[in-house]
Amino acid sequence: MATLNSTLAAAQADTTNVQNRAAGKDLTGNVVYARGSYTTTATDAATDVLRLALLPKGAVVIPSLCKIDTEDLGTDISVTVGDLDSTADADRYSTAVSLATAGVVSFTSGVAGANPHALEAEAWITATLTDAGSISITADKDVTFWIAYRMP
């Protein structure tokens, strides 16, 4: 049986490191939540981009802790969640999440789940409306995005 190390465990086990410590950004950090709410309108359509929160340079979004609290927004409506960082990515934090049923839903696997991304500059976290079939959005429905992030 082999003993395998995460990157953190490898840094901590490194006997050539006099202090035998990993970088502080890998061990600590307060998780902060940004809350962005939106009420749908009759003119919302697929490919519309909703700016959720402007996060500071260096912020690392934690997709596994992010949630969407939504009313039933309509038929065949989904969103992807990403950012407008210098290397913008519309689904960095979550691939398509259905908002066609009321409830609390978690982000789905975006690339940042396995590969955390520190914002290279102050950047907007965004949700892009996507058509999951025959999109029909109901006006005057509320949705709240809870974006969990930490500062290294």
Side-chain angles (χ1 to χ4, degrees):
M1 174 178 82
T3 299
L4 307 173
N5 288 321
S6 68
T7 54
L8 176 60
Q12 292 174 316
D14 181 1
T15 58
T16 63
N17 180 350
V18 177
Q19 295 180 351
N20 208 22
R21 304 223 185 251
K25 69 179 181 60
D26 293 332
L27 288 170
T28 65
N30 293 326
V31 174
V32 181
Y33 282 87
R35 179 180 59 100
S37 296
Y38 180 73
T39 301
T40 58
T41 68
T43 59
D44 293 338
T47 72
D48 284 355
V49 176
L50 172 61
R51 295 192 307 186
L52 301 173
L54 184 62
L55 296 187
K57 176 181 178 179
V60 178
V61 173
I62 307 167
S64 61
L65 297 179
C66 297
K67 302 282 185 191
I68 305 169
D69 192 351
T70 185
E71 291 187 276
D72 179 346
L73 300 189
T75 305
D76 293 330
I77 180 174
S78 293
V79 293
T80 61
V81 181
D83 61 47
L84 298 178
D85 199 10
S86 56
T87 54
D89 186 336
D91 64 356
R92 186 184 318 273
Y93 309 112
S94 184
T95 55
V97 175
S98 175
L99 301 182
T101 304
V104 178
V105 291
S106 298
F107 283 14
T108 58
S109 58
V111 69
N115 300 300
H117 175 75
L119 294 176
E120 297 166 8
E122 181 179 70
W124 287 103
I125 303 303
T126 61
T128 303
L129 300 179
T130 59
D131 185 349
S134 299
I135 194 169
S136 173
I137 300 173
T138 306
D140 298 318
K141 296 293 183 176
D142 297 320
V143 59
T144 299
F145 292 80
W146 291 91
I147 309 300
Y149 69 97
R150 69 174 179 86
M151 294 301 298

